[in-house]
Structure formats: structure tokens, C-alpha cells
């Protein structure tokens, strides 16, 4: 890529840059202007190449800016500049870059153009792709658009999985979609991990994270910092980096015991600290490192290790929690066999656990160490094996997340699952896939789940049509238009499913009910719905959905096989 320097006069125009593209006229807020100024200061070489026009994204570990560069042939080109939080571990950053350089730039995977580094500040420069947020278009997508979207997402997954990359954070925010030009791009390898035989060298070095993005309530920008080490001044190109220090596992974990762990979740509304000052973040990190924070560790069905008793102190402080305490929305009928998050003291051998496969947690189990397994990603998109902390996780977790996206698109609901912690997420999955089925699947990967209430497995077509208000369920259900309005209102606060509502009915709350009364005449919406193809969704779509949402990762369809599914015969 050949840049020609941009004059500093242009650059110093407070973020509102003179340019002949429409981007130039963007009105940016004073805050963003300040951020841009600071960015120029933090990485001065930027100014020689880019005019930073606006901020276009704020993730957990980065801020993304729109930058314009004048190319040597005179053209101006737009780039996305991803500025990583300075506390990101150098190996992490290097691994993210390596995923982009090795696998990116084709097959619907975002490429990388350039990278800037000044001390601990790193900027990844990528081609800019204009895109729409799923939440803005979901109400008007046709079935054909949904089919293509999933096809292209699977294509990206097949491609990265061939390189042994597990993305770990598949969700619409990380799969850019340009509806008009039908372009797609998978971004954000910030949480990626390698399979055992990964071709991405640096993914062999990055340690699995046990506590990651997620655990928060929004399913959007929540996280504990991915950094496991203090800021380092190291070249991202270097591979001989210091080993990562590890955070106590699952600081953001939620399992059953977890209001306490909820508090430890590092949740920042504006996750990127002001350039050059990340005191707060550093403090949070330091705090996390100091406090041992064992949370529930699921008892492995295969290992009935001698049980250990807790100390008196731990026992007296740690009362059993009823599952209902954990779900403010209603009783949470599920828990994993697990222990507490109390700091561990030496446990006496020989005591027998009294709670195995009951719906309570005994003090012995309260004192167990938690099981450590990767939990990266956003709760609503996490696969059952991730939610239950199965240590062997593979590329199948990405397919599950893609399945959740498909479920969302077919039902017209986004986000579909929205959970503040893993157990609620698991309950929500059970609500759709059935509690018995979930328990059975969990058993195959060594996890014992207890559910106090039986939740039946839903028929996926009926479920989606009911929520969408189309197809055969249309007559006695809400119309898409009314539903779209309602879901728009509620999507931010309310998950599509609540643990307390195992029967899945669109009449979920006052707001929705209010909308329902308005839509007795449905003909317009019906016509629209028919035009969008929602009245003729083929069985293959639900078949594929069923295979992507297979609770058992070892039988779950792979991205490569999914692309061969009859649903995509003509593609
Ligand atoms: P994070 O790790 O902080 O989530 P992402 O890489 O997911 O960062 O980027 C955050 C957001 O920035 C994305 O959801 C997207 O809206 C925007 N973005 C990222 N890369 C690009 C790009 N190449 N082109 C356009 N927008 C981008
Ligand atoms: Mg992201
Ligand atoms: Zn027990």
C-alpha cells in the first residue's frame, strides 16, 4: 500500500476534515474530536498518513476510527483504524494481527493493511467496510437475505477453521454486513484461540482465557480486559514475548453463586481509557490479580475425587443459594454441579458431598476450586460447552454462535438470548432446546446439570414463526410490524426469552401486550411478509438451524458441512 503524506494543516482541523467524500462532512462530537486529537498525539506517525474523520466503533478492547489516506496515485481511500487499549498483552495483539494477515483478506474475512505502534499503543489499519448494524435491519430482511448472510458467515468460519482459528466471539457486531453491496467481513480476532493443530503460530502461545468478554448483561460491549499483563513496550512483530500472567479464573464468571463475582466484573461503559492514562484499568487489573476468585466449578461426572470440606469460616459465610436468588427475572431452574467462589483454604479429606445431583449446593462443594476453562465471548452467543466450562472446546463453539445468529434472523428477534450470566444463558438455551436434551448433551462432555423444572424442546419452525408472527402461527399471533415495533422497544432491556418463561410466548410483558392490541388488521404486514419470503421458509432452514444448535459439540455440524447443506444448493 502506498500512502502519500497528508499535510499537517489538514490533519489539525479538529477531526472535521476537509475531504471530498461525504465522510468529510460528518459532524463529530467534541468528545470524539478530543479523542482524535489525543490519538494523533499518542501515535504521531499517524498524522503523516491519515486524516482521522470519526469514531466508528467502540468495542471492549478497542476504539475504531475512520481514517482517510491519500494514496500515491491521488485517490483517497478510507480505512478503519483499530486502536487497541494499551493494556492489551503484546502476544494477544500479535496473535490478532497474525489471524488477520494469515487468514484475512478473503473468504469474507477482514484483511489488514498496516499496523502502527508507538510504545504500548497499537493501531491496526484495515480497509474500511461500510456496514449496517443487524439490529437496524433485522425487521426488514427478507428470508433470502438471511440465507445469504448465514451462507457467507459460514464461509468465513470454514475458512478460519481451516487455519485452526477458533474465533470465540461470533456475533453480528463482529460480522460486518453491507446489505446493499452484499459484502460481508468477519472482524475482531481479539479473543481468538487456536485448535491443537492451528497454523497460526501465535495462537499456540496465547493462553486460553478463562475470563473474558461477557458476563455482563448487554451482550454487547461488556468485558473483563483481555489483557493479562501490564502494559508492555514490545514490538508486535516479536514472537519472543514474556509469558502471560494469568488473571484469576472467571473473574467475570457468573455461575450459580455469583452475585459476588458479578461485582468483580470489569465493566466499563467506555472501555477505552483516555490515551496515555489507563490508571483505572490498571488498578482494576491489579485488583483482579490479587484476589483469588474461585467460583463454581462443575463437578466432573467422571471424577469423583475425594471431597473436601470447607473451613468453618467459609462455611458460615457461604450460605447456600437457591437458584431463584440468581435470577432476578424469576426462578432460575437450573444449576450446574458446582462449588463456591470463596477463597480456598486447605480442605479436610474424607468428607462426603451431600448435594450431588440435588438442587442445592453443599458447603463441601462451596469450597471446591472452580474449574478453569475458556469463556470468551458474549453470554447470549456462548455454546453449552462454553457455558458449562468444558475444557475441550473447538471450532464447534463458533458454529453454535452462528446458529444463535440464524435463530435470531429467522425469528426476527435480536438479541435472541440475553443473559447476565452463564446459568441464565444455559436456562435460556434449555427453554428452546429442552432441559432433558441439554442435560443429556452436557453429560457427554462430562458435566452434570440439574434442572428443577422440565423445559420441553421447542419446534424451531413454530418458535420462529410465532415470534415473527408469520406462517401458520400468524392468525393467532402478533403481526411482524407490531412485533418489530415492540421488539425495537424492548430489545435493549429484555431478552427474547426469560428463564421464568419456559413456554415461549410473544406476549411477554406490558409493552408487548400494548402493541398487540393495536394490530387487529394485519393485511398490510401479511403482504409485506409474503414478499419477504417469510411465508415460504423451507424446512431446510430449520433443519440447518437444528444442526447448528446441536447441544452436543461432537455431533454439531461443521461450517464446511453446513455449506454443503441443501439450503445452499444453488449457491
Ligand atoms: P472490539 O475488539 O473492540 O470489539 P472490533 O474489531 O470488533 O473491536 O471493532 C469494533 C467495531 O468497529 C465493529 O463492530 C465495527 O462496527 C467497527 N469496525 C471494525 N473493523 C471495521 C472495518 N474494517 N470497517 C468498518 N468498520 C469496522
Ligand atoms: Mg468486536
Ligand atoms: Zn456437594
Amino acid at each position: 500500500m502506498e500512502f502519500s503524506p497528508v499535510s499537517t494543516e489538514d490533519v489539525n482541523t479538529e477531526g472535521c476534515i476537509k475531504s471530498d467524500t461525504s465522510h468529510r462532512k460528518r459532524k463529530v462530537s467534541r468528545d470524539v474530536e478530543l479523542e482524535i486529537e489525543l490519538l494523533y498525539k499518542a501515535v504521531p506517525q499517524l498524522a503523516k498518513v491519515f486524516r482521522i474523520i470519526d469514531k466508528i466503533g467502540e468495542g471492549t478492547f478497542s476504539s475504531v476510527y475512520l481514517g482517510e489516506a491519500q494514496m500515491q496515485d491521488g485517490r483517497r481511500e478510507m480505512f478503519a483504524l483499530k486502536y487497541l487499549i494499551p493494556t492489551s498483552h503484546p502476544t494477544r495483539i500479535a496473535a490478532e494481527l497474525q489471524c488477520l494477515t494469515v487468514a484475512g483478506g478473503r473468504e469474507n474475512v477482514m484483511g489488514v493493511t498496516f499496523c502502527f505502534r508507538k510504545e504500548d499503543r497499537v493501531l491496526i489499519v484495515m480497509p474500511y467496510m461500510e456496514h449496517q448494524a443487524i439490529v437496524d435491519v433485522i425487521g426488514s430482511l427478507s428470508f433470502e437475505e438471511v440465507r445469504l448472510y448465514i451462507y457467507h458467515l459460514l464461509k468465513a468460519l470454514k475458512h478460519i477453521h481451516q487455519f485452526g482459528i477458533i474465533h470465540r466471539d461470533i456475533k453480528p457486531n463482529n460480522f460486518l454486513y453491507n446489505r446493499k453491496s452484499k459484502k460481508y467481513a468477519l472482524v475482531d480476532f481479539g479473543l481468538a484461540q487456536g485448535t491443537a493443530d492451528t497454523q497460526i503460530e501465535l495462537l499456540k502461545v496465547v493462553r486460553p482465557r478463562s475470563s473474558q468478554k461477557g458476563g455482563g448483561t448487554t451482550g454487547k460491549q461488556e468485558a473483563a480486559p483481555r489483557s493479562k499483563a501490564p502494559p508492555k513496550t514490545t514490538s508486535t512483530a516479536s514472537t519472543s514475548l514474556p509469558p502471560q500472567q494469568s488473571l484469576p479464573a472467571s473473574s467475570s464468571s457468573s455461575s450459580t453463586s455469583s452475585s459476588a463475582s458479578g461485582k468483580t466484573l470489569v465493566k466499563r461503559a467506555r472501555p477505552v481509557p483516555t490515551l496515555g492514562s489507563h490508571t483505572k484499568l490498571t488498578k482494576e487489573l491489579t485488583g483482579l490479580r490479587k484476589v483469588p476468585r474461585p467460583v463454581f466449578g462443575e463437578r466432573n461426572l467422571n471424577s469423583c475425587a475425594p471431597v473436601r470440606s470447607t473451613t468453618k469460616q467459609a462455611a458460615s459465610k457461604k450460605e447456600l443459594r437457591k437458584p431463584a436468588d440468581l435470577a432476578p427475572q424469576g426462578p432460575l431452574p437450573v444449576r450446574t454441579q458446582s462449588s463456591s467462589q470463596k477463597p480456598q483454604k486447605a480442605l479436610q479429606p474424607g468428607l462426603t458431598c451431600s448435594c450431588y445431583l440435588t438442587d442445592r449446593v453443599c458447603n463441601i462443594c462451596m469450597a471446591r476450586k472452580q474449574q478453569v476453562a475458556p469463556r470468551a465471548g458474549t453470554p447470549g452467543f456462548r455454546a453449552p460447552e462454553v457455558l458449562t466450562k468444558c475444557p475441550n472446546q473447538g471450532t464447534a463453539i463458533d458454529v453454535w454462535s452462528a446458529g444463535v445468529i440464524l435463530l435470531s434472523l429467522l425469528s426476527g428477534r435480536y438479541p435472541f438470548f440475553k443473559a447476565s450470566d452463564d446459568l441464565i444463558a444455559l436456562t435460556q438455551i434449555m427453554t428452546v432446546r429442552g432441559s432433558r436434551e441439554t442435560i443429556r448433551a452436557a453429560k457427554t462432555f462430562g458435566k452434570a446439570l440439574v434442572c428443577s423444572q422440565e423445559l420441553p424442546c421447542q419446534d424451531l419452525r413454530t418458535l420462529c414463526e410465532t415470534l415473527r408472527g408469520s406462517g401458520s402461527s400468524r392468525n393467532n399471533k402478533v403481526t411482524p410490524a407490531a412485533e418489530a415495533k415492540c421488539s425495537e422497544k424492548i430489545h435493549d432491556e429484555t431478552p427474547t426469552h426469560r428463564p421464568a418463561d419456559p413456554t415461549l410466548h410473544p406476549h411477554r410483558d406490558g409493552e408487548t401486550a400494548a402493541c398487540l392490541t393495536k394490530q387487529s388488521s394485519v393485511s398490510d404486514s401479511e403482504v409485506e411478509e409474503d414478499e419477504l419470503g417469510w411465508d415460504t421458509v423451507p424446512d431446510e432452514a430449520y433443519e440447518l438451524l437444528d444442526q447448528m444448535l446441536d447441544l452436543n459439540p461432537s455431533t454439531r455440524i461443521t461450517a464446511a458441512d453446513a455449506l454443503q447443506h441443501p439450503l445452499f444448493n444453488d449457491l
Side-chain angles (χ1 to χ4, degrees):
M1 166 175 164
E2 300 196 323
F3 297 115
S4 71
V6 176
S7 86
T8 22
E9 276 161 46
D10 291 333
V11 173
N12 291 338
T13 49
E14 293 180 286
C16 279
I17 318 286
K18 302 168 236 151
S19 151
D20 48 7
T21 75
S22 61
H23 299 294
R24 188 169 282 193
K25 287 165 201 118
R26 283 178 185 232
K27 184 103 188 83
V28 295
S29 72
R30 185 68 198 140
D31 278 359
V32 170
E33 281 177 12
L34 284 173
E35 257 184 62
I36 293 173
E37 273 172 36
L38 286 166
L39 183 57
Y40 281 129
K41 281 197 190 122
V43 191
Q45 61 271 49
L46 254 187
K48 298 201 182 108
V49 185
F50 292 104
R51 305 163 161 190
I52 301 176
I53 293 171
D54 201 354
K55 184 171 184 173
I56 51 173
E58 182 161 308
T60 313
F61 306 114
S62 74
S63 286
V64 182
Y65 300 88
L66 176 67
E68 185 189 59
Q70 177 143 24
M71 313 305 280
Q72 283 193 334
D73 62 6
R75 277 177 312 114
R76 287 172 185 274
E77 244 180 66
M78 308 304 289
F79 294 89
L81 312 175
K82 179 168 176 172
Y83 176 67
L84 301 164
I85 58 168
T87 47
S88 299
H89 194 284
T91 316
R92 245 299 132 205
I93 299 174
E96 178 168 358
L97 264 169
Q98 205 170 51
C99 291
L100 291 165
T101 50
V102 176
R106 59 217 145 109
E107 300 292 304
N108 303 323
V109 179
M110 180 56 71
V112 60
T113 318
F114 204 71
C115 183
F116 286 97
R117 182 181 73 83
K118 167 101 194 300
E119 293 162 353
D120 57 354
R121 285 139 202 180
V122 177
L123 257 157
I124 299 176
V125 180
M126 298 166 273
Y128 170 70
M129 182 175 145
E130 209 174 323
H131 58 281
Q132 288 85 46
I134 272 297
V135 69
D136 294 336
V137 297
I138 194 166
S140 61
L141 288 177
S142 66
F143 171 69
E144 183 57 14
E145 285 173 308
V146 166
R147 190 176 75 109
L148 286 174
Y149 180 103
I150 290 298
Y151 177 79
H152 285 282
L153 173 58
L154 287 165
K155 210 165 141 179
L157 289 184
K158 175 187 170 187
H159 181 66
I160 64 163
H161 292 171
Q162 276 170 349
F163 284 89
I165 301 172
I166 311 172
H167 185 282
R168 296 207 69 101
D169 200 16
I170 296 297
K171 58 180 177 182
N173 284 358
N174 289 335
F175 189 58
L176 311 186
Y177 173 47
N178 187 315
R179 187 178 188 179
K180 207 165 152 214
S181 64
K182 301 223 180 310
K183 288 215 170 101
Y184 311 82
L186 181 62
V187 297
D188 197 356
F189 289 85
L191 293 176
Q193 273 180 9
T195 56
D197 56 350
T198 183
Q199 292 168 43
I200 310 295
E201 288 303 314
L202 287 168
L203 288 183
K204 294 177 182 160
V205 209
V206 289
R207 284 231 308 248
R209 296 200 191 99
S210 53
S211 161
Q212 298 301 339
K213 288 190 179 186
T217 55
T218 64
K220 205 182 157 203
Q221 312 291 12
E222 76 250 358
R226 59 179 151 192
S227 166
K228 291 181 177 178
K232 274 261 154 53
T233 307
T234 314
S235 160
T236 55
S238 165
T239 52
S240 53
L241 296 165
Q244 288 173 291
Q245 284 171 255
S246 70
L247 280 175
S250 288
S251 52
S252 67
S253 155
S254 48
S255 53
T256 48
S257 65
S258 263
S259 46
S261 68
K263 274 185 209 132
T264 67
L265 172 65
V266 182
K267 202 173 164 189
R268 282 162 283 125
R270 305 197 49 193
V272 178
T274 319
L275 297 168
S277 91
H278 38 271
T279 351
K280 194 176 159 236
L281 192 63
T282 318
K283 246 193 220 159
E284 283 164 343
L285 281 170
T286 319
L288 282 172
R289 267 190 225 106
K290 271 191 220 141
V291 189
R293 215 171 288 283
V295 291
F296 286 145
E298 291 75 5
R299 176 170 168 152
N300 193 312
L301 281 177
N302 305 321
S303 70
C304 292
V307 254
R308 300 160 299 177
S309 79
T310 178
T311 61
K312 254 189 206 161
Q313 185 205 17
S316 60
K317 278 200 189 154
K318 265 290 166 197
E319 277 312 309
L320 294 183
R321 267 172 174 278
K322 282 189 199 136
D325 294 339
L326 307 165
Q329 303 97 317
L332 178 68
V334 63
R335 70 175 191 80
T336 50
Q337 202 74 28
S338 47
S339 70
S340 87
Q341 49 178 177
K342 265 273 163 206
Q344 307 297 297
K345 299 231 173 134
L347 298 166
Q348 296 161 12
L351 283 182
T352 315
C353 161
S354 57
C355 73
Y356 186 60
L357 287 180
T358 65
D359 64 354
R360 51 181 282 274
V361 183
C362 75
N363 285 331
I364 294 166
C365 288
M366 285 288 193
R368 283 180 202 283
K369 266 195 191 148
Q370 74 166 129
Q371 180 158 30
V372 178
R375 287 179 61 251
T378 308
F381 295 91
R382 281 186 193 146
E385 66 271 26
V386 179
L387 294 170
T388 53
K389 297 201 206 158
C390 174
N392 303 319
Q393 299 172 17
T395 50
I397 69 167
D398 290 341
V399 175
W400 174 276
S401 308
V404 174
I405 300 178
L406 179 57
L407 176 61
S408 203
L409 296 176
L410 291 176
S411 64
R413 300 300 187 107
Y414 182 80
F416 196 92
F417 297 122
K418 191 169 146 188
S420 54
D421 72 42
D422 287 353
L423 273 209
I424 293 178
L426 205 53
T427 313
Q428 291 175 350
I429 289 175
M430 288 185 176
T431 324
V432 174
R433 305 302 278 156
S435 52
R436 261 202 252 171
E437 291 80 354
T438 309
I439 291 167
R440 201 183 310 132
K443 211 169 167 178
T444 66
F445 46 84
K447 297 293 175 181
L449 293 179
V450 183
C451 185
S452 61
Q453 185 186 345
E454 185 165 339
L455 302 165
C457 177
Q458 306 282 327
D459 173 71
L460 293 170
R461 177 187 284 276
T462 312
L463 169 67
C464 292
E465 288 182 350
T466 303
L467 291 170
R468 182 172 276 285
S470 62
S472 52
S473 9
R474 177 155 58 199
N475 296 340
N476 52 350
K477 304 294 177 196
V478 294
T479 62
E483 269 294 89
K485 252 192 235 149
C486 298
S487 64
E488 214 174 279
K489 268 195 192 167
I490 61 175
H491 85 263
D492 265 348
E493 307 87 37
T494 322
T496 305
H497 299 305
R498 291 175 173 175
D501 179 15
T503 49
L504 285 177
H505 198 269
H507 306 220
R508 291 153 310 179
D509 55 32
E511 252 175 359
T512 310
C515 292
L516 293 176
T517 57
K518 287 188 222 139
Q519 40 83 33
S520 45
S521 113
V522 294
S523 50
D524 284 358
S525 317
E526 271 180 34
V527 171
E528 199 182 293
E529 194 72 346
D530 296 352
E531 278 168 6
L532 295 174
W534 290 109
D535 58 332
T536 51
V537 177
D539 286 340
E540 285 82 8
Y542 296 105
E543 256 168 46
L544 177 62
L545 177 61
D546 184 52
Q547 292 173 292
M548 292 173 78
L549 293 182
D550 186 335
L551 295 156
N552 186 345
S554 62
T555 50
R556 191 174 304 147
I557 196 165
T558 62
D561 287 347
L563 288 170
Q564 302 298 318
H565 194 276
L567 179 65
F568 305 125
N569 265 349
D570 58 320
L571 294 174

